[in-house]
Amino acid sequence: MRKKKKWLAMGLCFTIFGAMALGSGSDSGDSKDVTTSGETGTENVGASDSSSDTTSDTSSTNITIEEQVLVDEGGIKITATEYTTDSIWGDGIKLLVENDSDTDYTVGCDALIVNDYMITDLFITDIAAGKKANETMYLSSTELEAAGIDTVGKVEMYFHAYDANMDDLFQNTYAEVQTSEYENMDTTVNDEGTELYNENGIRIVGKTVDENSFWGTAILLYVENTSGQNAGISVDDMSINGFMMSPFFSTTVYDGKKAIDDITIFSSDLEENGIETIEDVELKFHIYNADTYETITDSNPITFSAQ
């Protein structure tokens, strides 16, 4: 399904606010254990997210890359020119985007993966026919920190380009950049927590419940995909303390990759139902093929709590 400009713009807004939410949650220090209840009993995990033990400075001015062509298709050429660090946006890769065709195009990113973790990208640009532009694809510093990534060694990108009629020039065009720290990159799996689901090559771990995130409450998850297909995951039939909620959660994890993401429960939902403290959470995971949207599975109800 092709990405339309207005949805991309909205996506960028959610990304920015999502980054603020992660930062706000980590600053509050008010996170709770995730406990899951099942036939074998109850399991407790530590309240603190392992990402809080990592350094907050995930950028490095010493990282470099070799200039290299990432995409050269249909008159669109994308060249990675430099690894950069910005005091506000964090680490990024500078890109020279050239349009040698006779058509105006919008160029964006279908997926961004850093050290095998899915990371939300902040990249989209309009390139008029015969023009070029210098742009930067930033790597969200808060998401790198949440994943425990201190040193960026590998960046994988899937590019797309489409015209004003939303017709695609190309989609999911793959490119990989290895930095000067490729041999030293940390591959530690940040999966501490309580396992909520592990079937069909999809593993989901509940890490913490933060009741003071930007939008209200956030349940942080670790997701790992070894299913052999790109997977999308959403949440159905979620309730807190027996009251139905309308959570905000949708994540895509490519095959062989991992992600740190959170389920957001809006403050308004909690307030309308008089919920001051989260005690019991119940939900189902809807897991589907991210390319065809065909259902892979719908989980049974999963119950857990914050202690």
Side-chain angles (χ1 to χ4, degrees), residues 204-307:
I204 303 174
V205 175
K207 295 179 68 63
T208 59
V209 176
D210 179 8
E211 294 184 340
N212 292 293
S213 72
F214 187 78
W215 293 110
T217 296
I219 301 172
L220 191 66
L221 304 178
Y222 165 86
V223 184
E224 183 177 343
N225 179 8
T226 58
S227 68
Q229 55 191 316
N230 298 335
I233 304 171
S234 59
V235 167
D236 291 330
D237 299 338
M238 183 175 189
S239 65
I240 294 178
N241 298 0
F243 290 92
M244 298 301 295
M245 297 285 120
S246 299
F248 179 77
F249 177 74
S250 180
T251 191
T252 299
V253 185
Y254 279 28
D255 180 42
K257 306 303 178 182
K258 304 176 282 288
I260 299 289
D261 210 336
D262 55 39
I263 304 171
T264 297
I265 302 99
F266 295 104
S267 297
S268 56
D269 278 356
L270 299 175
E271 292 169 1
E272 288 172 2
N273 292 287
I275 299 174
E276 296 181 355
T277 301
I278 294 178
E279 298 174 355
D280 299 307
V281 180
E282 184 174 296
L283 55 77
K284 298 177 183 177
F285 289 114
H286 173 62
I287 304 170
Y288 56 93
N289 184 294
D291 301 313
T292 66
Y293 295 92
E294 294 181 359
T295 298
I296 297 175
T297 189
D298 289 301
S299 76
N300 293 324
I302 299 168
T303 301
F304 56 95
S305 62
Q307 299 297 321

Side-chain angles (χ1 to χ4, degrees), residues 166-209:
M166 313 310 298
D167 292 326
D168 295 311
L169 177 64
F170 53 79
Q171 278 186 304
N172 284 307
T173 297
Y174 179 79
E176 178 180 325
V177 173
Q178 295 182 2
T179 77
S180 56
E181 294 297 315
Y182 177 75
E183 298 296 334
N184 302 319
M185 71 178 184
D186 186 4
T187 57
T188 302
V189 176
N190 189 9
D191 65 345
E192 294 86 354
T194 299
E195 188 172 275
L196 303 179
Y197 180 86
N198 191 355
E199 294 181 27
N200 305 297
I202 303 295
R203 180 169 178 250
I204 303 174
V205 175
K207 295 179 68 63
T208 59
V209 176

Side-chain angles (χ1 to χ4, degrees), residues 15-27:
T15 298
I16 294 170
F17 285 119
M20 294 172 65
L22 277 172
S24 173
S26 62
D27 289 339

Side-chain angles (χ1 to χ4, degrees), residues 51-120:
S51 65
S52 64
D53 296 329
T54 66
T55 177
S56 60
D57 183 10
T58 58
S59 64
S60 173
T61 56
N62 296 323
I63 295 177
T64 61
I65 62 170
E66 295 183 0
E67 183 171 316
Q68 56 201 278
V69 175
L70 304 179
V71 176
D72 192 353
E73 187 173 343
I76 296 293
K77 184 177 181 181
I78 305 173
T79 304
T81 60
E82 182 184 352
Y83 194 93
T84 185
T85 299
D86 182 87
S87 59
I88 296 176
W89 295 104
D91 287 14
I93 296 177
K94 288 187 177 181
L95 303 174
L96 172 62
V97 185
E98 302 173 81
N99 183 359
D100 292 330
S101 75
D102 57 2
T103 303
D104 297 345
Y105 283 107
T106 296
V107 178
C109 191
D110 290 308
L112 175 64
I113 305 165
V114 178
N115 294 13
D116 291 332
Y117 276 87
M118 308 296 297
I119 299 293
T120 304

